[in-house]
Amino acid sequence: MAMRAAVAGASGYAGGEILRLLLGHPEIEIGALTGNSNAGQRLGALQPQLFPLADRVLEPTSAEVLAGHDVVFLALPHGQSAAVAEELGDGTLVVDCGADFRLADAGDWERYYGSPHAGTWPYGLPELPGARAALRGARRIAVPGCYPTAVSLALFPAYAAGLAEPEAVIVAASGTSGAGKAAKPHLLGSEVMGSMSPYGVGGVHRHTPEMIQNLSAVAGTRISVSFTPTLAPMPRGILATCSARAKPGVTGAALRETYEKALAGEPFVRLLPEGRWPATSAVYGANTALLQVALDEAAGRIVVVSAIDNLTKGTAGGAVQSMNIALGLPEELGLSTIGVAP
Amino acid sequence: MAMRAAVAGASGYAGGEILRLLLGHPEIEIGALTGNSNAGQRLGALQPQLFPLADRVLEPTSAEVLAGHDVVFLALPHGQSAAVAEELGDGTLVVDCGADFRLADAGDWERYYGSPHAGTWPYGLPELPGARAALRGARRIAVPGCYPTAVSLALFPAYAAGLAEPEAVIVAASGTSGAGKAAKPHLLGSEVMGSMSPYGVGGVHRHTPEMIQNLSAVAGTRISVSFTPTLAPMPRGILATCSARAKPGVTGAALRETYEKALAGEPFVRLLPEGRWPATSAVYGANTALLQVALDEAAGRIVVVSAIDNLTKGTAGGAVQSMNIALGLPEELGLSTIGVAP
Amino acid sequence: MAMRAAVAGASGYAGGEILRLLLGHPEIEIGALTGNSNAGQRLGALQPQLFPLADRVLEPTSAEVLAGHDVVFLALPHGQSAAVAEELGDGTLVVDCGADFRLADAGDWERYYGSPHAGTWPYGLPELPGARAALRGARRIAVPGCYPTAVSLALFPAYAAGLAEPEAVIVAASGTSGAGKAAKPHLLGSEVMGSMSPYGVGGVHRHTPEMIQNLSAVAGTRISVSFTPTLAPMPRGILATCSARAKPGVTGAALRETYEKALAGEPFVRLLPEGRWPATSAVYGANTALLQVALDEAAGRIVVVSAIDNLTKGTAGGAVQSMNIALGLPEELGLSTIGVAP
Amino acid sequence: MAMRAAVAGASGYAGGEILRLLLGHPEIEIGALTGNSNAGQRLGALQPQLFPLADRVLEPTSAEVLAGHDVVFLALPHGQSAAVAEELGDGTLVVDCGADFRLADAGDWERYYGSPHAGTWPYGLPELPGARAALRGARRIAVPGCYPTAVSLALFPAYAAGLAEPEAVIVAASGTSGAGKAAKPHLLGSEVMGSMSPYGVGGVHRHTPEMIQNLSAVAGTRISVSFTPTLAPMPRGILATCSARAKPGVTGAALRETYEKALAGEPFVRLLPEGRWPATSAVYGANTALLQVALDEAAGRIVVVSAIDNLTKGTAGGAVQSMNIALGLPEELGLSTIGVAP
């Protein structure tokens, strides 16, 4: 019998994508949908792409409404998840798409988010060493940030194998849906179409400590990260260009072999054949990460580029994948590896 | 009395932009326009935006057609400029938008371009130390590549002042016009809209040795460059994110002061006020480079982001600016610093 | 047991979309994939979004390769389908995404396509009166053109009910994938991004007689069509604005009621609630058509706007939907009504 | 000696475009810049493309601030112009980019704008019959709406010559800047990129009565207009597809000749050579309107397509062109016919 899932924050981009995926999930039935400012409205007016749910009405986000579901997805502004989760017992699997339970270091949390640390939950990036095991049977899941997903998948094999020096330099381009659905002047179509711009430069973006945490864990040593996010004129997608000095003696062949081994058997990550580089269009709406690696011998650097859909593998797809693992379902259930392209 | 300028390669994107600028230049009258496969066609069918030249007919590219002009702009495929220039005497100022005369090192040229080295001409990036002086009275100008323009402007102050370690990491996003007007499947609108993708990864892009040459010259020591270009879903613009480890003791205040001093008085380069970052839309069609700098203290890196229009400051605008200097005209003549935005 | 389907023309946009849908179809197993100039290449290099088929190799398009399948989809240039279909017996369901078998009138065919008329097959737009019955058990299907799909769905209820005068005026905007994957200069990203332009103006577009045929059949009288297609800066989607003078006495309420009745029960067409208008983003990758109607009383015209994905409901989705009917499968099998948005 | 111009509403898209043009106008010096919610801010933070004005500070919009200028441009929300204009005497030329003084019919005004009618000023579309004469020496100018500019230029020759029946059908696509800079959810980049959608369907768009007024005046009889605006995924540009039944006996040759004669000598309107159709990219940032006409003999309709930049010829360029006429300056001063393309 199908399990029932509720989605808190169903009117936003993450919530909409979660619902798109759950509608195609054979073991999930969609329960309560909640919003705050949009409570009382029909979903058809807010998420016109979710045809089968057009007549569903949003309820206010509250523990009463969310209670009694097998799974609750939280797609709420940072800082609101802990209070909701507390009222939902261990009978409910809570999958938090917010940042609240991602960082283990309370100091990092407070420095970057400016509020008290809520704790740490099993981390929903199954491809990282040890992560899949921690997710099995879990009742709470912290879904990674979209940039940390793209970056950690790109660099963990190199750091796990000790091929790279501990200073990573990352420049990533994101589609505008990563900035959410709140109407802000700099996110208007007139402003973003035809334009690239950086933001959060110089180490201040909140996803920086999450990348450091992930890469340091696999490396077994502190990795520093210089991270520059940029806004690209497209609705979806992250292209992350990640590099680090190669350790002495690393060869291109060894690099490639390391990545092939580290990613072997992963259903949602693909190292492209040599000579081909990933494009975000190829993963549009898919739960896939595409990777390619190169050794720049003149500059002495390993360069890895990864492409994901920030809303799918970067948020909702990663959430459903982790949910599947936690519930003991086949990991790929309800998830597609096929992009909608062109 | 106005000088007459010919444009070889008038049907391409660089040629079209040169003509757009020359049409607004008070001291230039437009002479011969040439093409190869398009010879015999009216410009109106090829460059519909150049309203006043709609009825002009393209002639074949040849020394006879180009002779007798005060200035000849070459917007030809790499490798074709030397032969044409040779037949034009010193009475003609030749401004080459191709790569042929940019690199001083014959080995670099041959490695990256696979043909014999043609030589070196005065380099048309007036903002670099010494460049303006070399351009005064010049009869030959090598216009820089679009990426090297964005990157050299971003990093030369840091390297000239000795603030940065000699390993630069650069990730740049370019609009599709940088790839030219030849119809290739991966440049179709269906492929590029909504998608970001890298190319020429791992040190193989031809603009890499040009960046190394420029930065090494100002630094007085060999600078290594890890350069990753990406294709962005927009027609124009380059956003270059450039970083390097800061030398010990460098402070944010010193960094900013260095940039303010290095760029003071430059008519076409602007360091933005603190807290604001450049967007390519702000320089759409303008000969302007916008810069911002940050010191990422945790990662120990200087991060500089620059935005230019690849066709204007990155090609045609830089060409006209350098022409003005060579001809003894006011440097800003016929060039606008104002972008067409939004 | 699953049926096997071959796709001829698997490297193009229509072929790629057919494969994307078939990969999610529970009763279809993918057999031979063919191409012409691309025969011998791996699909991963041509359709990087089709992750599970990355290692499949394209065969040359020939009757031998296509024989022995339960279903063959033809996504070939116009004029090539008849020869292939002839060699495939009635044991194979042939679904032609080309135009060859759409038009009943040989004169129309020859005037617009300039080649001998091949014949007429059951027409794959199940929502038209009588179409579904003709498709049941069919062994040959002519998939409609993308524009005729959008326009016929928009106007057939008005003409079937006799509400509109027999002169329709249609202006439609299409994403660039409608123009196919062949590299042509005017389809370059640099040309189409940020630009709208018309083409085939004045009654010369080949989809015009197909619209006239469909609307005249439901009206029982000759409908004239003024059709202007425009190219929009997006990869996918058609927005068709269709209008005709209202017959005397038609009211807004009667108009709406007519559409509600005509579309009731249709799984893939939705009349939006009053006050909301369709956007192509809401049907991105979905087999859905969204409609809205208005009566402009001052101008005396019925205005209907429809939105579809040109590659899905407009081509590959319509093809699969019609295949389902022909094979006696549930009509909605393997097809989603949910758009990938934003 | 240069005249001084003030711009009220300098932080919006129309105000920004007016300033871009005035910065290149040889007879105008820029005086006061005003805003409301943005008063006190530097222009560099609001209009980063206006490099030379980056350090100018916005003042509050008031008659005191605007007084004493030779020209005042009003780029204010509808309904605010009358009060400001009243306090500026006839010594000041007031150019209103709002709708307040466009409509002669008070009933039309009240029906569409819901406020008392302010009056009528000379109409700033010089190409219309009689308009240029009315603008000479004028002290008040009503700048047309962007859609009425595109549509009136497209259809006035046909109606002036009596070639078309009095029912026009118009479908136009506009870039998003036409919707202004106020942050609204449906105008977010995530919503508009990759999507086309209609709005104001069924005769309710406020520009409808303005089109009717213009076309009826040249026709000498009441013209009905069915107008459907659509939002296109681009920052700028309007493509208007306009059609009407041809009067009996009209030929394609007569149609073309009529347009050639009507537009002869117009500096900013160009009928393209036969076989070429306008694209909005060709007029990006230019004060140009490109037109093409066709006679669809089968459908019996005249089809005219026009392309303008909604912010330039559609607003700010039309305003400056009309100002030039009013002030007795050469009509083309400070205005370019050259688009920034690709």
Side-chain angles (χ1 to χ4, degrees):
Chain A
M1 212 197 79
M3 280 169 282
R4 289 182 71 242
V7 177
S11 64
Y13 289 145
E17 186 75 351
I18 291 166
L19 287 169
R20 183 176 75 84
L21 298 177
L22 294 184
L23 281 165
H25 195 293
E27 299 291 336
I28 297 288
E29 179 184 293
I30 294 173
L33 308 181
T34 79
N36 275 325
S37 54
N38 297 307
Q41 290 192 50
R42 285 184 194 280
L43 200 63
L46 301 164
Q47 307 275 18
Q49 80 280 14
L50 299 176
F51 195 94
L53 299 174
D55 292 328
R56 294 286 299 271
V57 175
L58 287 195
E59 300 177 76
T61 301
S62 73
E64 287 82 40
V65 169
L66 299 171
H69 291 81
D70 301 292
V71 188
V72 171
F73 289 89
L74 303 179
L76 301 172
H78 299 316
Q80 303 188 0
S81 300
V84 174
E86 217 159 84
E87 303 201 39
L88 299 169
D90 266 6
T92 299
L93 169 60
V94 181
V95 184
D96 183 19
C97 295
D100 301 29
F101 297 92
R102 292 175 192 160
L103 294 183
D105 187 284
D108 275 351
W109 173 268
E110 281 155 25
R111 211 160 23 254
Y112 279 88
Y113 290 89
S115 60
H117 189 224
T120 318
W121 287 353
Y123 191 70
L125 192 54
E127 294 84 358
L128 288 188
R132 206 169 256 120
L135 289 167
R136 283 200 195 99
R139 307 311 297 158
R140 295 291 184 266
I141 297 170
V143 178
C146 50
Y147 287 122
T149 295
V151 167
S152 302
L153 292 174
L155 286 180
F156 90 84
Y159 280 117
L163 303 186
E165 299 287 355
E167 301 183 10
V169 176
I170 292 145
V171 179
S174 173
T176 53
S177 60
K181 210 174 182 170
K184 296 173 190 165
H186 75 285
L187 296 174
L188 284 174
S190 301
E191 301 294 317
V192 298
M193 287 188 285
S195 191
M196 296 277 314
S197 58
Y199 63 101
V201 188
V204 302
H205 192 282
R206 289 172 164 183
H207 286 176
T208 309
E210 193 179 340
M211 296 177 195
I212 293 172
Q213 169 178 293
N214 293 353
L215 298 178
S216 299
V218 296
T221 183
R222 171 87 182 180
I223 307 297
S224 88
V225 166
S226 163
F227 173 52
T228 307
T230 66
L231 195 66
M234 57 190 193
R236 288 173 174 240
I238 286 178
L239 189 83
T241 302
C242 311
S243 74
R245 275 200 73 75
K247 286 269 178 75
V250 170
T251 64
L255 178 65
R256 187 158 186 92
E257 198 185 358
T258 297
Y259 272 75
E260 282 170 353
K261 277 191 191 159
L263 303 173
E266 281 300 342
F268 293 116
V269 186
R270 183 170 189 235
L271 181 67
L272 289 170
E274 290 191 70
R276 293 197 14 235
W277 289 85
T280 61
S281 55
V283 295
Y284 207 90
N287 198 46
T288 317
L290 298 180
L291 259 66
Q292 185 56 289
V293 297
L295 181 66
D296 180 341
E297 298 196 17
R301 294 185 78 86
I302 293 167
V303 184
V304 192
V305 182
S306 63
I308 63 166
D309 184 319
N310 59 304
L311 289 181
T312 320
K313 181 59 180 161
T315 305
V320 170
Q321 181 184 356
S322 298
M323 174 201 78
N324 284 340
I325 297 171
L327 296 176
L329 299 170
E331 187 170 331
E332 301 171 61
L333 218 56
L335 293 167
S336 175
T337 59
I338 307 168
V340 181
Chain B
M1 211 196 80
M3 280 169 281
R4 287 182 72 242
V7 177
S11 63
Y13 289 144
E17 185 76 350
I18 291 167
L19 287 169
R20 183 175 75 83
L21 298 177
L22 294 183
L23 281 165
H25 194 292
E27 299 293 334
I28 298 288
E29 178 182 296
I30 293 173
L33 308 181
T34 80
N36 276 324
S37 54
N38 297 308
Q41 290 192 51
R42 285 183 195 280
L43 201 64
L46 301 163
Q47 306 275 20
Q49 80 280 16
L50 299 177
F51 195 94
L53 299 173
D55 293 328
R56 294 286 299 271
V57 175
L58 288 195
E59 300 178 74
T61 301
S62 74
E64 287 81 41
V65 169
L66 298 172
H69 291 82
D70 300 291
V71 187
V72 170
F73 289 89
L74 302 179
L76 302 172
H78 300 317
Q80 302 188 2
S81 300
V84 174
E86 216 159 84
E87 301 202 40
L88 299 168
D90 268 6
T92 299
L93 169 60
V94 181
V95 183
D96 184 18
C97 296
D100 302 29
F101 296 94
R102 291 175 193 160
L103 294 183
D105 187 284
D108 274 351
W109 174 268
E110 283 155 24
R111 213 162 19 255
Y112 278 90
Y113 290 89
S115 61
H117 190 224
T120 318
W121 287 354
Y123 191 69
L125 192 53
E127 293 84 359
L128 288 188
R132 206 168 255 122
L135 289 167
R136 280 198 198 101
R139 306 310 297 158
R140 296 291 184 266
I141 297 170
V143 178
C146 50
Y147 287 121
T149 295
V151 168
S152 303
L153 291 175
L155 286 180
F156 90 83
Y159 279 119
L163 304 186
E165 299 287 355
E167 301 184 11
V169 177
I170 292 146
V171 179
S174 173
T176 54
S177 61
K181 210 173 182 170
K184 297 173 189 165
H186 75 285
L187 296 175
L188 283 174
S190 300
E191 301 295 318
V192 299
M193 287 187 286
S195 190
M196 295 278 313
S197 58
Y199 63 101
V201 188
V204 303
H205 192 281
R206 287 171 165 182
H207 286 176
T208 310
E210 193 179 338
M211 296 175 193
I212 293 172
Q213 170 178 291
N214 293 352
L215 299 178
S216 299
V218 297
T221 183
R222 171 87 181 180
I223 306 298
S224 88
V225 166
S226 163
F227 172 53
T228 307
T230 67
L231 195 65
M234 57 189 193
R236 290 172 173 239
I238 287 179
L239 189 83
T241 303
C242 312
S243 73
R245 276 200 73 77
K247 287 270 178 74
V250 170
T251 63
L255 178 65
R256 186 157 187 93
E257 196 185 2
T258 296
Y259 272 75
E260 281 170 353
K261 276 190 191 160
L263 303 173
E266 282 301 340
F268 293 115
V269 187
R270 182 169 190 238
L271 180 67
L272 289 170
E274 289 190 71
R276 294 200 8 239
W277 289 85
T280 62
S281 55
V283 296
Y284 207 91
N287 198 46
T288 316
L290 299 180
L291 260 66
Q292 185 55 291
V293 298
L295 181 65
D296 179 341
E297 297 195 17
R301 293 185 79 86
I302 293 167
V303 185
V304 192
V305 182
S306 64
I308 63 167
D309 184 318
N310 59 304
L311 289 180
T312 319
K313 180 60 180 163
T315 305
V320 170
Q321 181 184 356
S322 298
M323 174 199 78
N324 284 340
I325 296 170
L327 296 176
L329 298 170
E331 189 170 333
E332 301 170 61
L333 218 57
L335 294 168
S336 174
T337 58
I338 307 169
V340 181
Chain C
M1 212 194 79
M3 279 170 282
R4 288 182 71 242
V7 177
S11 62
Y13 289 145
E17 185 75 351
I18 291 167
L19 287 169
R20 182 176 76 84
L21 298 177
L22 295 183
L23 281 164
H25 195 293
E27 299 292 335
I28 298 287
E29 179 183 293
I30 293 173
L33 308 180
T34 80
N36 276 324
S37 54
N38 297 307
Q41 291 192 50
R42 284 182 195 281
L43 200 64
L46 301 163
Q47 307 275 21
Q49 80 280 13
L50 299 177
F51 196 93
L53 298 174
D55 292 328
R56 293 286 299 271
V57 175
L58 287 195
E59 300 177 76
T61 301
S62 74
E64 286 81 43
V65 169
L66 299 171
H69 292 82
D70 300 291
V71 188
V72 171
F73 289 89
L74 303 179
L76 302 172
H78 299 316
Q80 302 189 1
S81 300
V84 174
E86 216 159 84
E87 300 202 40
L88 298 169
D90 268 6
T92 299
L93 169 61
V94 181
V95 183
D96 184 17
C97 296
D100 301 29
F101 297 94
R102 290 175 193 160
L103 294 183
D105 186 284
D108 275 351
W109 174 267
E110 283 156 25
R111 215 164 13 257
Y112 279 90
Y113 290 89
S115 61
H117 189 224
T120 318
W121 286 354
Y123 191 69
L125 192 54
E127 294 83 359
L128 287 188
R132 206 169 256 120
L135 289 167
R136 283 198 197 100
R139 307 310 296 158
R140 296 289 183 269
I141 297 170
V143 178
C146 51
Y147 287 122
T149 296
V151 168
S152 303
L153 291 175
L155 286 181
F156 90 84
Y159 279 118
L163 303 186
E165 300 286 356
E167 301 184 9
V169 177
I170 293 146
V171 179
S174 173
T176 54
S177 61
K181 209 174 182 170
K184 297 173 189 165
H186 75 285
L187 296 175
L188 283 173
S190 300
E191 301 294 318
V192 298
M193 287 188 285
S195 191
M196 295 278 312
S197 58
Y199 64 101
V201 187
V204 302
H205 192 282
R206 288 172 164 183
H207 286 176
T208 310
E210 193 178 340
M211 296 176 194
I212 293 172
Q213 170 177 290
N214 293 353
L215 298 179
S216 300
V218 296
T221 184
R222 171 86 181 182
I223 306 298
S224 88
V225 167
S226 163
F227 172 51
T228 307
T230 66
L231 195 65
M234 57 190 193
R236 291 173 170 235
I238 286 179
L239 189 83
T241 303
C242 311
S243 73
R245 276 200 71 76
K247 286 270 178 76
V250 170
T251 63
L255 178 65
R256 187 158 187 93
E257 196 185 359
T258 296
Y259 272 75
E260 281 170 353
K261 277 191 191 159
L263 304 172
E266 282 301 340
F268 294 116
V269 187
R270 183 169 190 236
L271 180 68
L272 289 170
E274 288 190 71
R276 293 200 10 238
W277 289 86
T280 62
S281 55
V283 296
Y284 207 92
N287 198 46
T288 317
L290 298 180
L291 260 65
Q292 185 56 289
V293 297
L295 180 65
D296 180 340
E297 296 195 17
R301 293 185 80 85
I302 293 167
V303 185
V304 192
V305 182
S306 63
I308 63 167
D309 184 318
N310 59 304
L311 289 180
T312 320
K313 181 59 180 163
T315 305
V320 170
Q321 181 185 355
S322 297
M323 175 200 77
N324 285 340
I325 296 170
L327 296 175
L329 298 170
E331 189 171 331
E332 301 171 62
L333 218 59
L335 294 167
S336 175
T337 58
I338 307 169
V340 181
Chain D
M1 211 195 81
M3 279 170 282
R4 289 182 70 242
V7 177
S11 62
Y13 289 146
E17 185 75 351
I18 291 167
L19 288 170
R20 183 176 76 82
L21 298 177
L22 294 183
L23 281 165
H25 195 293
E27 300 292 335
I28 297 288
E29 179 183 293
I30 293 174
L33 308 181
T34 79
N36 276 322
S37 54
N38 297 307
Q41 290 191 51
R42 283 184 195 280
L43 200 63
L46 301 163
Q47 306 275 20
Q49 80 279 16
L50 299 176
F51 195 95
L53 299 174
D55 292 329
R56 293 287 299 271
V57 175
L58 288 194
E59 300 176 77
T61 301
S62 73
E64 286 82 42
V65 169
L66 298 172
H69 292 82
D70 300 292
V71 188
V72 170
F73 289 89
L74 303 179
L76 301 173
H78 300 317
Q80 302 188 0
S81 299
V84 173
E86 216 160 85
E87 302 202 39
L88 298 169
D90 266 6
T92 299
L93 169 59
V94 181
V95 183
D96 184 18
C97 296
D100 302 28
F101 295 93
R102 291 175 192 160
L103 294 183
D105 187 283
D108 275 350
W109 173 268
E110 282 156 25
R111 212 161 20 254
Y112 278 89
Y113 290 88
S115 60
H117 189 224
T120 318
W121 287 354
Y123 191 68
L125 192 53
E127 294 83 0
L128 288 188
R132 206 169 256 119
L135 290 166
R136 282 199 197 100
R139 308 311 296 158
R140 296 289 184 268
I141 297 171
V143 178
C146 51
Y147 287 121
T149 295
V151 168
S152 302
L153 292 174
L155 286 180
F156 89 84
Y159 279 118
L163 303 186
E165 300 286 355
E167 301 183 10
V169 176
I170 292 145
V171 179
S174 174
T176 54
S177 61
K181 210 174 185 171
K184 296 172 189 165
H186 75 285
L187 297 174
L188 283 174
S190 301
E191 301 294 319
V192 299
M193 287 187 285
S195 191
M196 295 277 313
S197 58
Y199 64 100
V201 188
V204 303
H205 192 281
R206 289 173 164 181
H207 286 177
T208 309
E210 193 178 339
M211 296 176 194
I212 293 173
Q213 170 177 292
N214 293 353
L215 298 178
S216 299
V218 296
T221 183
R222 171 86 180 181
I223 306 298
S224 88
V225 166
S226 163
F227 172 52
T228 307
T230 66
L231 195 66
M234 56 190 193
R236 289 173 173 238
I238 286 178
L239 188 84
T241 302
C242 312
S243 74
R245 273 199 75 75
K247 285 269 177 78
V250 171
T251 64
L255 178 64
R256 187 160 186 90
E257 197 186 358
T258 296
Y259 272 76
E260 282 170 352
K261 276 191 192 159
L263 304 173
E266 282 301 340
F268 293 115
V269 186
R270 185 170 187 236
L271 181 68
L272 290 170
E274 289 190 69
R276 293 198 12 237
W277 289 85
T280 61
S281 55
V283 296
Y284 207 91
N287 198 46
T288 316
L290 298 179
L291 260 66
Q292 185 56 290
V293 297
L295 181 65
D296 180 340
E297 297 195 16
R301 294 185 79 87
I302 293 166
V303 185
V304 193
V305 182
S306 63
I308 63 167
D309 184 318
N310 59 303
L311 289 181
T312 319
K313 181 60 179 161
T315 306
V320 170
Q321 181 185 354
S322 298
M323 173 200 79
N324 284 340
I325 296 171
L327 295 176
L329 299 170
E331 189 170 332
E332 301 170 62
L333 218 57
L335 294 167
S336 175
T337 58
I338 307 168
V340 181

